Amino acid sequence: MTSRSDETLWQGSAWRLVGREIHLPGGVTRKKPIIDHPGSVVLLPLLEDRVVMVWQYRLALDQSILELPAGTRHPGEAWEECAQRELREETGYRAAQFVSLGHIWPGPGLTNEQMRLYLATGLTLDPLPQDEDEQIEIRLLPLEPLLRMALDGDLEDAKSIIGIIRAAHHLKI
């Protein structure tokens, strides 16, 4: 399959909904919707022996859920700059070090969004204002119980489950 053209159907501040025309075998042409996304970061901030988690309201779910801090990259923004900005906005902490835990494609049938995962250490308080549409409460939890929650199905956010498992593997927990 090859794509031929994109039509912007909706444009947000960071990502856009695109109608992408593709050529299928047999000469058939179809238009499929995709979300064209600049990427995002997922952070596992480690403060001594506890993970800085966020309890955040999610409009699409109409409820609050427990998550690792995460956020959308500005177009052209360096990945670690985005990681530091999102960490400061969502948790109020700055990290001295970021260790890459790889990347994931959260919805490859729907979007080209790449999520890069980082272990953030050497935390010090240095807050930035939160986004005005965010309702975030900070929760500090030990990594081992979070790993059990991720494996037992008590944690439901996919990016957080993957980030916790990868951090636990990296830290040999």
Side-chain angles (χ1 to χ4, degrees):
M1 289 187 282
T2 60
S3 61
R4 188 171 75 188
S5 64
D6 286 350
E7 175 190 1
T8 299
L9 305 173
W10 180 85
Q11 176 74 50
S13 60
W15 56 269
R16 64 190 179 122
L17 180 62
V18 170
R20 179 161 290 168
E21 193 171 271
I22 59 170
H23 297 288
L24 302 170
V28 176
T29 300
R30 294 280 187 267
K31 189 172 278 191
K32 298 274 202 170
I34 66 162
I35 296 171
D36 183 33
H37 197 288
S40 58
V41 295
V42 180
L43 308 158
L44 190 134
L46 199 53
L47 184 62
E48 297 172 13
D49 63 342
R50 296 178 297 167
V51 178
V52 182
M53 300 287 291
V54 295
W55 180 256
Q56 184 168 353
Y57 176 78
R58 292 300 190 175
L59 179 62
L61 303 177
D62 193 26
Q63 69 180 45
S64 293
I65 62 171
L66 187 64
E67 305 177 59
L68 288 175
T72 300
R73 183 173 157 245
H74 295 153
E77 184 178 27
W79 289 98
E80 285 193 15
E81 279 180 35
C82 176
Q84 190 73 268
R85 176 181 52 77
E86 286 294 338
L87 181 64
R88 292 178 63 206
E89 285 176 5
E90 292 202 356
T91 71
Y93 289 100
R94 166 184 290 280
Q97 300 90 28
F98 289 101
V99 175
S100 174
L101 299 174
H103 75 269
I104 58 174
W105 303 104
L110 177 65
T111 180
N112 61 357
E113 178 184 11
Q114 180 183 110
M115 289 183 156
R116 295 211 183 168
L117 295 91
Y118 292 97
L119 174 64
T121 59
L123 302 184
T124 55
L125 283 173
D126 188 16
L128 284 175
Q130 287 184 353
D131 290 341
E132 63 185 31
D133 64 340
E134 291 182 323
Q135 299 175 23
I136 296 174
E137 179 184 315
I138 300 300
R139 303 221 172 142
L140 302 174
L141 300 164
L143 183 55
E144 283 189 52
L146 282 172
L147 179 58
R148 279 194 302 279
M149 289 172 66
L151 296 173
D152 292 344
D154 295 326
L155 191 62
E156 298 175 304
D157 178 56
K159 69 185 179 305
S160 298
I161 293 167
I162 294 167
I164 288 165
I165 291 170
R166 288 193 182 177
H169 178 75
H170 174 80
L171 297 167
K172 302 192 182 348
I173 291 179

